[in-house]
Amino acid sequence: DTAVSQTPKYLVTQMGNDKSIKCEQNLGHDTMYWYKQDSKKFLKIMFSYNNKELIINETVPNRFSPKSPDKAHLNLHINSLELGDSAVYFCASSHLDTQYFGPGTRLTVL
Amino acid sequence: AQSVSQHNHHVILSEAASLELGCNYSYGGTVNLFWYVQYPGQHLQLLLKYFSGDPLVKGIKGFEAEFIKSKFSFNLRKPSVQWSDTAEYFCAVNEPSTGKLIFGQGTTLQVKP
């Protein structure tokens, strides 16, 4: 019974393609996040949703679009993928200011 | 904007050695503080957290951290490391005004058997 799950675990694709990463949490949390971890392991928040409403939108290119169909899901769609998008993307959810992370999706853009 | 600084980028220890990883943050108000661990190829797991109360907090796997408000620090300690502690360690601060979690740049810990 995974708390925060992401699919796929690995994603290899060509430049210019459009791809999506899915995230689901079964913890009943209201807030969900997307983080990007670069090749130097640095983690930076991208987006946050609270009960399907966008509350944090960092300076992320508009090729990245989060979508929250319900409060248990937060998907990340990326258009026109670029080499620099290669990273590990982590989804998280939070309760009372504590965040719990998913297993990550390693995206490789060729 | 708030920032988090971890002083040690790469630490190499032998088993049974004591560990202390430094973490300083820039925000002057009330903060929530966290240490996360990322084992090779795995996701981030919460080691411990400080919200209020006793500044010495104990976490999982024998780790503890001390919040020193006057020094804006939240250093992680373990008296005796094991080979299985080899991982990336991240200090993080919750930014109260936005709810954002701001991470330090991480410390790679390598424990030699």
Side-chain angles (χ1 to χ4, degrees):
Chain A
D1 44 336
T2 307
V4 183
S5 59
Q6 294 178 228
T7 53
K9 191 173 172 69
Y10 299 96
L11 186 51
V12 181
T13 188
Q14 301 285 337
M15 274 176 55
N17 283 351
D18 302 339
K19 290 293 177 186
S20 291
I21 307 172
K22 295 186 176 181
C23 177
E24 176 180 2
Q25 54 97 1
N26 62 6
L27 298 166
H29 294 167
D30 286 336
T31 309
M32 296 183 72
Y33 310 80
W34 277 109
Y35 287 84
K36 180 180 180 180
Q37 186 176 46
D38 63 22
S39 57
K40 295 185 179 177
K41 304 265 177 126
F42 183 65
L43 276 151
K44 192 171 188 303
I45 190 166
M46 301 171 69
F47 302 103
S48 171
Y49 268 74
N50 182 272
N51 220 352
K52 303 196 296 174
E53 183 182 339
L54 181 67
I55 55 171
I56 295 174
N57 184 349
E58 289 295 284
T59 49
V60 178
N62 57 15
R63 298 182 294 104
F64 290 78
S65 54
K67 285 193 173 46
S68 181
D70 56 61
K71 76 173 194 176
H73 295 84
L74 180 61
N75 303 324
L76 183 65
H77 189 76
I78 316 169
N79 289 328
S80 303
L81 278 155
E82 300 177 358
L83 292 176
D85 298 332
S86 295
V88 181
Y89 292 84
F90 286 99
C91 177
S93 69
S94 72
H95 175 65
L96 298 177
D97 291 330
T98 301
Q99 294 188 26
Y100 300 89
F101 286 80
T105 296
R106 182 173 292 278
L107 171 64
T108 303
V109 182
L110 304 174
Chain B
Q2 193 162 173
S3 66
V4 179
S5 175
Q6 293 181 237
H7 320 299
N8 321 96
H9 295 292
H10 198 152
V11 174
I12 303 174
L13 294 173
S14 297
E15 274 195 316
S18 64
L19 170 73
E20 180 159 3
L21 301 182
C23 173
N24 285 88
Y25 62 95
S26 63
Y27 187 73
T30 302
V31 291
N32 298 325
L33 299 153
F34 306 83
W35 276 97
Y36 283 87
V37 60
Q38 187 177 25
Y39 297 104
Q42 295 190 29
H43 65 289
L44 282 91
Q45 298 175 40
L46 182 66
L47 266 181
L48 47 79
K49 61 184 178 182
Y50 173 80
F51 283 9
S52 64
D54 188 345
L56 184 62
V57 291
K58 295 196 183 297
I60 60 171
K61 306 186 185 207
F63 286 90
E64 64 178 31
E66 185 175 12
F67 169 54
I68 303 180
K69 189 174 181 179
S70 60
K71 294 185 179 180
F72 298 93
S73 71
F74 189 54
N75 292 355
L76 181 71
R77 299 195 290 251
K78 185 170 183 177
S80 175
V81 294
Q82 299 171 316
W83 176 78
S84 57
D85 292 325
T86 294
E88 194 81 19
Y89 291 82
F90 294 93
C91 180
V93 175
N94 177 267
E95 194 175 75
S97 58
T98 63
K100 286 195 292 188
L101 202 55
I102 310 296
F103 282 90
Q105 62 269 55
T107 296
T108 303
L109 172 64
Q110 185 181 350
V111 180
K112 294 183 174 179

